[in-house]
């Protein structure tokens, strides 16, 4: 399937590509917080030039989330999406104020390279493997695969928390008018490379 092929491509992502993407994310956030022009990198690795969606997450040194923005749009190269989502995580996450340059020095960047979401059922959700997207009643939310591991959630708790994030009743994932999709992610952060 397309989902499995995307997962395999990202699973095989080279350490050098991960390092490149994390450095790119930090560089573009620095340029943004210093309000200066960012220069596109040269020597973009082939893995980073593949089309793919991603989320960029910023975590404080104590592990607390400081910003997270992403896209499933796979019409652009992964590195371009990392560029845009990194700036978004630093400045457009509605849960947080804009990140300052000084605060960035105390943050760790994490990138989740995404497979395409595919319609699924609650029974198929695997904790730690699948991220979840819930859509219904004009609302939508996404939780990445690593969230359930960090919090020690079961599959049903993950589904309920995704509904809650969307502004729906936590049991809404059981309703016929609410759609569930799953995806996988290749997750890597500055603390890993």
């Amino acid at each position: 399937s397309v989902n499995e092929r995307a997962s395999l491509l990202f699973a095989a992502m080279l350490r050098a590509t991960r390092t490149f993407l994390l450095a790119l994310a930090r560089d573009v956030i620095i340029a943004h917080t210093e309000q200066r022009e960012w220069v596109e990198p040269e020597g973009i690795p082939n893995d980073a030039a593949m089309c793919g969606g991603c989320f960029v997450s910023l975590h404080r040194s104590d592990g607390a989330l400081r910003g997270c923005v992403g896209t499933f749009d796979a019409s652009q190269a992964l590195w371009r999406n990392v560029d845009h989502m990194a700036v978004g995580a630093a400045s457009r996450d509605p849960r947080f104020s804009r990140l300052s340059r000084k605060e960035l020095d105390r943050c760790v960047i994490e990138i989740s390279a995404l497979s395409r979401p595919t319609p699924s059922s609650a029974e198929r959700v695997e904790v730690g493997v699948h991220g979840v997207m819930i859509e219904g009643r004009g609302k939508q939310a996404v939780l990445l695969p690593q969230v359930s591991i960090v919090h020690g959630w079961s599959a049903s708790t993950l589904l309920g928390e995704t509904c809650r994030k969307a502004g729906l009743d936590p049991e809404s994932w059981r309703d016929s008018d609410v759609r569930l999709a799953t995806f996988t992610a290749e997750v890597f952060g500055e603390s890993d490379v």
Side-chain angles (χ1 to χ4, degrees), residues 57-184:
S57 306
L58 305 174
H59 297 275
R60 292 189 181 106
S61 53
D62 64 1
L65 185 66
R66 180 53 182 88
C68 181
V69 173
T71 182
F72 285 95
D73 179 5
S75 64
Q76 291 196 80
L78 179 59
W79 75 269
R80 282 216 179 273
N81 276 333
V82 167
D83 164 9
H84 298 311
M85 296 309 115
V87 170
S91 63
R92 290 194 311 272
D93 186 326
R95 299 168 291 183
F96 302 97
S97 59
R98 293 173 76 87
L99 187 78
S100 70
R101 172 67 182 92
K102 189 174 179 182
E103 197 178 0
L104 176 62
D105 292 339
R106 299 187 304 273
C107 286
V108 174
I109 298 171
E110 179 182 79
I111 296 172
S112 301
L114 308 172
S115 69
R116 291 180 188 266
T118 56
S120 192
S121 62
E123 300 75 38
R124 292 178 144 167
V125 174
E126 291 182 59
V127 170
V129 173
H130 293 126
V132 173
M133 176 189 284
I134 297 276
E135 284 183 284
R137 302 176 197 148
K139 298 180 179 185
Q140 177 183 327
V142 170
L143 284 175
L144 296 169
Q146 60 269 36
V147 174
S148 57
I149 296 172
V150 169
H151 294 289
W153 291 342
S154 65
S156 59
T157 303
L158 171 61
L159 293 167
E161 291 300 319
T162 310
C163 288
R164 190 186 312 275
K165 185 179 177 187
L168 298 167
D169 179 272
E171 295 296 312
S172 296
W173 58 271
R174 300 177 188 275
D175 301 340
S176 59
D177 65 334
V178 173
R179 292 177 306 284
L180 162 65
T182 59
F183 58 92
T184 58

